[in-house]
Amino acid sequence: MLSGRRILLVVAGGIAAYKTLELVRRLRERGASVRAVLTRAGAEFVTPLSLASLTGDKVYRELFDLTDEAEMGHIQLSRDADLVVVAPATADIMAKLATGRADDLASTALLATDKPVLMAPAMNVRMWEHPATQSNLETLKRRATRFVGPNQGDMACGEYGYGRMAEPAEILAAIETQFRAAGRLSGRRALVTSGPTFEALDPVRFLGNRSSGRQGHAVAAALAAAGAETTLVTGPVALPDPAGVTTLHVESAEEMLAACREALPVEIAVCAAAVADWRPAQTAEQKMKKGTDSRAPELSLVPNPDILATLSQQGPQRPRLVIGFAAETENLVEHAGRKLASKGCDWILANDVSPASGTFGGDETTIHLVDAAGVESWPRLRKQAVAERLASRIGETLPAPHMTETLSEGVAE
Ligand code: C5P
């Protein structure tokens, strides 16, 4: 997996930098080449000599080092890699990248690179929890910077909490995941639905639901990161459009279905939207008035189209893989199996939303992937990790056209 991969490793200033040396050793053992950029603060924690010895290469330190610029400019340095890893990533370097500052070699390389960036944050727990750092984290995530850790535990400064850099083995696993995922779906077209739908009663009122769209948006981002040309059709949400995804904004179920039809043909469809089951039979053209007799209007509802079922039954235009979600509070797998059959889709990702599960309103969920062959239960994961695992699972089932010949027989194509 890592053999022949080129990694640009930015080592910023933090006590965790000593663990980065172990990471370098493990990367080299697996055949990756590592070129290190050491910040001034980083050099207070590890010596250039130890990094150079382990990478087997010179260590890059200053932006205006003329020798470096002559041998290799910072632009080339940042582009010559397959992946940029920042370990430890300090609050400072996260802030620099989030705001676009480039006042040393490390921050300049990060701003100039066109390659994926993986950060392993390490800092004091208060610094990590500070709204400024959390806002930088959100900004960077939105721009598709990947993160591993930080972990919870005792800190060098004597405090306890989130802020410990992920262990070398975890960073290594994240690096391998990154390489496994990238490009796996290139040449594929994907469609994702996300968010709630709003069904208008009149120009100002609607029937809606509380779906945040976080899962669907994360799936769209993960498919795009895996190389798929991705269209996201989303109902009203308070989330930014994911980077690298064509995002279409709709309100009602009927608009959502029409936008999905427009996006066809695709090979992969993931329906994560919480589509309203019913809509008002009529939408008043003007705002409905309360009137004088204080009688409430009777609402008459009609069923909405089922987008998942419609996409599953598109005949020749049917995507090769149609995936739905199911939120269940009991008999999870049994209900999901029934839904698979009634909708005609290929996979159902069933998640437990019983009050005991803590899924509603939380960021973590436990997924059971149900298909015709049976059930695959996943560990408890954050929604972003669910999305990445799904993208990776789709990639195994439907490899990119240029990758099919390199994969073993028996893969569904
Ligand atoms: O039938 P239920 O709403 O439980 O099914 C959930 C799955 O079906 C989700 O994947 C959801 O996106 C999809 N769905 C849909 N259109 C509907 C209702 C549900 O695409 N009208």
Side-chain angles (χ1 to χ4, degrees), residues 171-226:
I171 303 176
L172 194 67
I175 293 172
E176 285 179 335
T177 304
Q178 176 66 37
F179 282 124
R180 205 172 294 127
R184 187 152 229 177
L185 289 172
S186 64
R188 297 290 188 208
R189 283 167 56 89
L191 167 66
V192 180
T193 69
S194 184
T197 62
F198 284 2
E199 310 294 335
L201 280 161
D202 67 19
V204 297
R205 301 184 181 93
F206 60 84
L207 299 178
N209 62 71
R210 295 184 198 280
S211 167
S212 69
R214 270 154 82 192
Q215 185 64 78
H217 278 54
V219 169
L223 292 175

Side-chain angles (χ1 to χ4, degrees), residues 193-195 197 253 256 260 270-278 303-311 323-328 339 342-343 345 347-349:
T193 69
S194 184
T197 62
M256 187 173 273
C260 287
V270 182
C271 292
V275 183
D277 290 319
W278 307 281
N304 260 332
D306 189 313
I307 297 170
L308 178 60
T310 309
L311 290 174
I323 301 164
F325 278 81
E328 304 287 353
K339 199 161 285 182
S342 67
K343 307 252 185 183
C345 59
W347 298 351
I348 288 277
L349 300 198

